[in-house]
């Protein structure tokens, strides 16, 4: 039977900007559902572009941290990052023998901005005393060269180095990370049980690789702690790291931006929040059905909400109501559940609005009536419009380009501000329409209900 809790430990240094080191490791363990423990080896003072100095933790304190956790909770798998001194490497080797946990060695030697993370004597002891105890060693090309003395120029050299780490130095498996190599794809070479395996992945070009090595070895450790085999752990760790890099904190810090191990769970959490928000907005709209029914256009109504901007790539990252919201007697009803990818038109409108204001993530469409525009004005809503008849032919020819073009026109008229309301008066075969924008589905639902209340008063007036 699987244990209720799996415990992983990172034996590594603190990188104060949070991109690499134990912070990346703890985030990774946590994102993968493994309980995170730490033996701190030192502080590597730095940020994303400036190196500072390393403050070392005494080796005895590293040993005690490992001992205290191991005898209390047990350690299923541990990884090493910055070990710095030969004394620390020695106590880690001693503890690995004492407790027999699975061990991933990320043999970091130089940090991202040039800090020395391992002294030369430490490297010697790492090669002789620690690598023989490793389940997996995860060097990059430069580290593999320093460990094996093999100059690496191509895949064959990567294979030779991986084989050397296993066959000569005594690790169970070695994976050489080709992320820095001049190949089109990022290729990693694994050597285990006399065989090579290649792991390929397209390069992530957003520059967010700060912490990628730490996160990769931590993810492999987490999967080992969960009881997965070595090959499977490396395959999954690669997938995890690609995700963390793809959704990294682009633009944060002056140097290489940090990866986001938390994106692995945060993205699912955000998807849930979007669906839940639309669900609540639908409840609100349906409960005001009689007020709303007169606002439903011929093409029916939809309500969409996008994921936060850093998770948005295409229409599938915007949720809408499957089958739309329809007039149902004198009430309104959502035909299906909130679903990602369920809307095209309105989703395109939101994606365009988000380019100008990332906070505006939701929209709904309602019937056009000049009286509704008057009401919106009286409620203090910001309004803009566009003329579909002025859509340039080259835009018309591109499937799906009309709405983004129109929304952009309307935003331009407001000098780049995203309004609450964008309307157009239609064209041949195109119904006039109003789009209401807001920060969430609930926000736009509330705006529409305010409008509907005023509209119902007007409809009751004798004309
Ligand atoms: O290179 C990985 C790494 C590991 N540990 C610490 C670091 C870095 C990179 O800068 O700072 C503490």
């Amino acid at each position: 039977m699987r244990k209720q809790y799996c415990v992983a430990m990172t034996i590594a240094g603190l990188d104060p900007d949070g991109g690499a080191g134990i912070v990346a490791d703890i985030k990774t363990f946590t994102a993968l559902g493994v309980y995170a423990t730490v033996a701190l080896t030192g502080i590597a003072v730095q940020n994303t572009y400036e190196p500072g100095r390393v403050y070392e933790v005494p080796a005895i304190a590293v040993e005690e941290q490992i001992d205290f956790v191991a005898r209390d909770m047990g350690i299923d798998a541990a990884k090493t990052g910055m070990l710095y001194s030969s004394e620390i490497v020695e106590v880690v080797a001693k503890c690995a023998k004492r407790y027999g946990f699975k061990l991933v060695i990320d043999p970091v030697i130089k940090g991202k901005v040039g800090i020395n993370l391992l002294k030369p004597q430490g490297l010697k002891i790492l090669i002789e005393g620690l690598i023989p105890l490793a389940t997996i060693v995860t060097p990059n090309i430069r580290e593999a060269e320093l460990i094996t003395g093999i100059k690496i120029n191509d895949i064959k050299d990567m294979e030779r180095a991986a084989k050397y780490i296993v066959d000569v130095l005594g690790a169970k498996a070695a994976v050489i990370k080709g992320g820095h190599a001049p190949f089109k794809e990022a290729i990693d070479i694994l050597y285990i049980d006399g065989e090579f395996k290649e792991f390929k992945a397209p390069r992530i070009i957003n520059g967010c690789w700060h912490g990628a090595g730490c996160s990769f070895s931590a993810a492999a450790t987490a999967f080992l702690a969960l009881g997965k085999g070595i090959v499977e752990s490396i395959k999954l760790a690669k997938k995890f790291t690609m995700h963390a890099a793809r959704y990294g904190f682009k633009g944060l810090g002056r140097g290489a931006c940090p990866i986001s191990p938390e994106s692995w769970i945060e993205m699912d959490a955000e998807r849930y929040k979007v669906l839940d928000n639309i669900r609540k907005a639908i409840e609100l709209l349906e409960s005001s059905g009689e007020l709303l029914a007169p606002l439903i256009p011929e093409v029916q109504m939809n309500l969409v909400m996008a994921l936060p901007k850093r998770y948005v790539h295409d229409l599938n990252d915007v949720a809408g109501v499957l089958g739309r919201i329809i007039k149902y007697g004198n009430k309104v009803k959502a035909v299906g559940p909130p679903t990602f990818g369920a809307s095209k038109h309105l989703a395109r409108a939101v994606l365009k609005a988000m380019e100008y204001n990332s906070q505006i993530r939701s929209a709904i469409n309602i019937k056009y009536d000049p009286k509704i525009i008057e009401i919106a004005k009286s409620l203090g809503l910001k309004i803009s419009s566009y003329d579909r008849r002025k859509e340039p032919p080259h835009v018309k020819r591109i499937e799906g380009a009309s709405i983004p073009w129109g929304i952009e026109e309307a935003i331009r008229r407001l000098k780049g501000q995203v309004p609450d309301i964008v309307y157009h008066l239609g064209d041949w075969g195109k119904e006039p329409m109003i789009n209401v924008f807001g920060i969430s589905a609930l926000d736009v639902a509330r705006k529409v209900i305010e409008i509907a209340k005023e509209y119902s008063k007007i409809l009751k007036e004798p004309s």
Side-chain angles (χ1 to χ4, degrees):
M1 202 178 71
R2 216 179 97 181
K3 302 194 317 178
Q4 188 180 3
Y5 304 117
C6 297
V7 178
M9 174 175 265
T10 170
I11 306 167
L14 175 72
D15 168 9
D17 68 42
I22 60 163
V23 178
D25 295 342
I26 295 168
K27 286 179 181 181
T28 301
F29 291 164
T30 307
L32 291 170
V34 169
Y35 185 79
T37 65
V38 184
L40 185 72
T41 57
I43 304 169
V45 177
Q46 67 199 304
N47 54 32
T48 63
Y49 73 102
E50 287 170 308
R53 59 169 285 190
V54 174
Y55 295 86
E56 201 179 327
V57 167
I60 180 73
V62 176
E63 183 173 1
E64 285 179 16
Q65 293 174 79
I66 301 170
D67 279 338
F68 270 64
V69 174
R71 68 169 173 259
D72 182 19
M73 300 175 162
I75 298 170
D76 296 298
K79 70 153 271 188
T80 62
M82 176 180 93
L83 294 176
Y84 200 61
S85 68
S86 48
E87 293 78 12
I88 294 178
V89 178
E90 272 165 6
V91 298
V92 173
K94 213 158 63 176
C95 290
K97 283 187 204 147
R98 194 176 295 154
Y99 299 110
F101 42 68
K102 289 172 255 185
L103 179 65
V104 176
I105 300 177
D106 185 7
V108 290
I109 296 169
K110 253 202 188 338
K112 61 185 184 268
V113 285
I115 290 190
N116 283 328
L117 303 171
L118 186 61
K119 294 179 187 168
Q121 185 60 17
L123 177 60
K124 185 167 177 294
I125 307 289
L126 183 105
I127 293 167
E128 292 168 3
L130 197 58
I131 287 182
L133 307 173
T135 314
I136 312 172
V137 187
T138 65
N140 62 26
I141 285 179
R142 181 76 194 120
E143 290 156 357
E145 285 179 338
L146 289 168
I147 289 168
T148 63
I150 296 168
K151 181 92 191 83
I152 298 177
N153 292 311
D154 54 25
I155 301 267
K156 275 275 163 273
D157 295 335
M158 287 169 78
E159 288 179 354
R160 280 172 58 218
K163 192 168 184 332
Y164 184 95
I165 291 170
V166 173
D167 290 353
V168 179
L169 301 182
K172 173 81 183 126
V175 54
I176 316 278
K177 298 171 294 186
H180 295 80
F183 310 128
K184 203 163 100 225
E185 293 171 305
I187 300 174
D188 299 343
I189 299 290
L190 167 67
Y191 182 70
I192 182 171
D193 295 335
E195 281 183 43
F196 294 106
K197 290 190 182 2
E198 261 187 31
F199 297 94
K200 287 187 192 170
R203 286 190 183 279
I204 307 277
I205 50 167
N206 62 5
C208 297
W209 47 262
H210 171 30
C214 298
S215 196
F216 175 74
S217 54
T221 309
F223 288 117
L224 289 178
L226 288 166
K228 302 219 179 282
I230 293 174
V231 178
E232 181 74 356
S233 293
I234 288 169
K235 202 163 102 189
L236 294 171
K238 176 106 182 163
K239 187 172 166 200
F240 179 89
T241 310
M242 297 301 294
H243 193 280
R246 182 173 186 206
Y247 296 104
F249 292 92
K250 199 164 161 38
L252 186 61
R254 294 200 215 165
C257 44
I259 55 153
S260 171
E262 57 267 59
S263 65
W264 189 257
I265 42 176
E266 194 184 59
M267 200 158 158
D268 281 347
E270 291 295 346
R271 289 174 86 82
Y272 172 80
K273 283 194 239 171
V274 165
L275 295 176
D276 193 51
N277 197 284
I278 298 179
R279 220 173 278 133
K280 287 182 177 134
I282 289 171
E283 257 174 50
L284 193 64
L285 294 172
E286 286 182 342
S287 69
S288 309
E290 281 178 36
L291 280 177
L292 267 157
L295 293 181
I296 303 266
E298 293 297 325
V299 294
Q300 311 294 351
M301 178 189 266
N302 212 332
L303 169 61
V304 303
M305 182 170 171
L307 286 172
K309 177 136 181 181
R310 66 197 191 91
Y311 292 127
V312 170
H313 285 275
D314 57 37
L315 295 178
N316 289 317
D317 301 317
V318 184
V321 180
L322 198 63
R324 304 188 186 185
I325 300 168
I326 59 164
K327 203 181 281 188
Y328 189 69
N330 61 350
K331 296 220 166 111
V332 303
K333 187 161 177 50
V335 171
T339 308
F340 279 93
S343 153
K344 283 204 170 59
H345 293 357
L346 210 50
R348 286 194 177 105
V350 163
L351 291 185
K352 180 51 78 180
M354 280 177 95
E355 287 177 22
Y356 289 87
N357 181 347
S358 61
Q359 302 301 307
I360 303 296
R361 289 165 46 196
S362 181
I364 197 169
N365 65 311
I366 58 174
K367 179 181 91 170
Y368 173 79
D369 181 332
K371 294 192 195 97
I372 295 178
I373 301 301
E374 286 309 310
I375 291 169
K377 257 185 220 157
S378 72
L379 291 172
L381 297 176
K382 225 180 297 156
I383 300 167
S384 188
S385 65
Y386 62 97
D387 187 345
R388 274 195 89 130
R389 290 165 310 175
K390 298 210 173 120
E391 184 184 352
H394 71 272
V395 176
K396 247 184 197 148
R397 275 197 298 273
I398 304 169
E399 163 73 15
S402 300
I403 287 178
W405 167 84
I407 299 298
E408 193 153 46
E409 279 289 300
I411 292 172
R412 282 215 188 106
R413 288 184 186 186
L414 278 187
K415 299 189 169 55
Q417 272 191 73
V418 178
D420 299 290
I421 297 232
V422 173
Y423 70 92
H424 69 80
L425 301 179
D427 194 358
W428 284 107
K430 298 284 177 209
E431 187 184 5
M433 194 69 66
I434 298 175
N435 289 344
V436 182
F437 290 90
I439 58 172
S440 67
L442 265 173
D443 180 37
V444 295
R446 288 189 187 116
K447 285 179 189 169
V448 166
I449 287 170
E450 284 310 302
I451 291 170
K453 279 182 191 157
E454 298 304 314
Y455 195 49
S456 77
K457 289 181 201 160
I458 291 177
L459 293 181
K460 279 184 201 135
E461 282 169 10
S463 50

